[in-house]
Amino acid sequence: MKVDDIKKICVIGAGNMGHQIALCAALAGYQVSCTDISLEMLSKAEGFARSYFPERVTKGKLTQEQADLGMKNISFTQNLERAAGDADFVIEAAVEKIDIKRKLFADLDRITPPHAILATNSSFIVSSKIADATKRPDRVCNMHFFNPALVMKLVEVVQGPHTSMETVQVTMDLCKKMGKSGAWLKKEIYGFLVNRILAALHHEAQFLADMGIATPEEIDMAVTNALGHPMGPFRLMDFTGIDLAYYIGIERYQETRDPKDKPSPLIVEKFAKGEWGRKTKKGFYSYE
Ligand code: CAA
């Protein structure tokens, strides 16, 4: 299979990541079906698409033709079989729970054409934990986008021991077609490249806040003003989801048994209160 054989892409999950990945693919000229079990998420995603395209035209970032084509290329459905049945490439961006992903991949293996590549956008579950739920592990890999996916240029393509070179090549070529820079990781490693680097920064920021050395706001101010990051670590966690930071910490600790990998007391507290960042309108900051 070659990248030019891809005509239809199915994106599973219409949440934070999925709806924007779907738009990236539609803008790159692919027919895209975005599916989710939640009707509410799907209508939110469709609403976003309906306002995003005209806004980009008004801003002069897209021509009317590009916007019309983008909108025409994308559809939203709750029906997994309809979304994935004729897909050449699937990008799974569902909830970060391994059992759900394994069940999804087993279903996708049954539903999709045999040539289809099944990629997961998971931030921390390596595809070898999922690939054996299918009969095509050679066609399974990680394809990890960053938030907001419409803006961030990097995509990590992680090759598992089961992933064929052809799958890596097609996925890297697809990144390019979608206007992204693919980073090819030749081996699976927890956190991939970027989240490992971010984890070091976040770990230190949380330690400083937990010790009462400075507030999250002050630490964010220090990082943006001294290092030139567009967002400090606490605002970024609000943006990507404190629930995600919590799950990543739990998973990481289970893997390493290193206490420093456990979610910090601050994250545990925010998680327990349901203050998960922008998606719940409150995290380290308020978004009312
Ligand atoms: N969705 C889509 N587009 C968005 C957006 C969103 N939520 N927020 C901003 N944009 C776009 C705007 O439309 C604008 O585009 P143009 O310049 O083409 O018109 C551009 O981004 C800049 O937007 P703004 O001027 O409104 O705001 P900003 O300059 O403050 O940028 C930001 C917003 C792009 C989010 C910027 O703050 C940023 O880059 N933050 C850091 C994001 C980051 O680090 N992401 C990686 C997170 S880690 C991760 O994703 C790992 C994981 O596993 C989940």
Side-chain angles (χ1 to χ4, degrees):
M1 183 178 170
K2 299 251 180 332
V3 74
D4 290 341
D5 298 325
I6 301 174
K7 307 288 177 236
K8 178 167 174 190
I9 295 180
C10 168
V11 177
I12 304 203
N16 245 0
M17 298 300 294
H19 79 281
Q20 295 215 359
I21 295 171
L23 290 194
C24 292
L27 279 167
Y30 293 103
Q31 258 190 63
V32 181
S33 195
C34 180
T35 181
D36 199 297
I37 48 169
S38 156
L39 200 54
E40 192 193 336
M41 295 303 277
L42 283 173
S43 48
K44 258 195 185 164
E46 187 163 2
F48 179 84
R50 290 201 180 285
S51 58
Y52 178 77
F53 288 116
E55 270 169 27
R56 299 306 280 167
V57 175
T58 310
K59 265 189 164 179
K61 301 282 176 160
L62 286 180
T63 64
Q64 189 61 52
E65 292 69 36
Q66 287 170 316
D68 291 345
L69 188 67
M71 200 63 219
K72 190 167 131 278
N73 280 345
I74 194 162
S75 61
F76 299 89
T77 174
Q78 261 183 312
N79 186 320
L80 181 65
E81 308 228 347
R82 201 176 315 138
D86 56 351
D88 306 300
F89 200 103
V90 178
I91 305 171
E92 172 273 318
V95 62
E96 291 279 33
K97 300 225 162 110
I98 191 156
D99 295 347
I100 292 178
K101 290 192 193 288
R102 286 184 64 83
K103 161 88 172 65
L104 254 173
F105 271 66
D107 289 345
L108 287 168
D109 193 33
R110 186 174 41 77
I111 295 168
T112 55
H115 69 268
I117 290 176
L118 311 179
T120 174
N121 175 59
S122 178
S123 301
F124 60 91
I125 300 172
V126 289
S127 76
S128 57
K129 293 197 171 163
I130 307 172
D132 65 340
T134 75
K135 294 193 190 72
R136 61 179 100 180
D138 58 312
R139 298 187 163 270
V140 177
C141 68
N142 287 84
M143 184 184 194
H144 181 226
F145 291 76
F146 292 84
N147 195 355
L150 279 160
V151 180
M152 307 314 273
K153 290 278 175 245
L154 187 76
V155 175
E156 293 169 321
V157 176
V158 188
Q159 181 175 14
H162 51 276
T163 312
S164 70
M165 269 315 297
E166 182 183 292
T167 297
V168 173
Q169 193 58 58
V170 172
T171 310
M172 288 292 286
D173 291 344
L174 180 61
C175 293
K176 207 165 170 190
K177 292 262 180 193
M178 289 171 75
K180 305 292 185 195
S181 305
W184 169 28
L185 278 70
K186 280 101 189 153
K187 280 185 193 166
E188 291 185 338
I189 182 161
Y190 183 87
F192 314 141
L193 301 180
V194 174
N195 279 344
R196 288 185 79 87
I197 295 167
L198 260 185
L201 178 76
H202 284 208
H203 178 259
E204 199 54 39
Q206 285 164 40
F207 169 78
L208 291 168
D210 282 333
M211 293 284 289
I213 307 290
T215 64
E217 290 84 349
E218 287 161 344
I219 295 169
D220 277 355
M221 187 275 287
V223 170
T224 50
N225 285 326
L227 302 176
H229 291 197
M231 288 174 169
F234 294 99
R235 193 173 285 285
L236 184 56
M237 258 185 286
D238 271 5
F239 186 69
T240 53
I242 290 169
D243 53 332
L244 185 65
Y246 176 82
Y247 290 132
I248 289 178
I250 297 284
E251 170 86 12
R252 177 86 173 130
Y253 175 66
Q254 274 166 6
E255 222 67 17
T256 63
R257 294 286 155 196
D258 182 343
K260 91 170 178 356
D261 288 329
K262 274 187 182 171
S264 75
L266 208 53
I267 297 293
V268 173
E269 185 196 319
K270 290 278 171 203
F271 180 80
K273 281 189 183 159
E275 294 177 0
W276 295 356
R278 285 204 330 183
K279 65 173 96 169
T280 58
K281 304 221 179 320
K282 194 162 168 43
F284 293 105
Y285 298 86
S286 265
Y287 303 88
E288 291 301 345

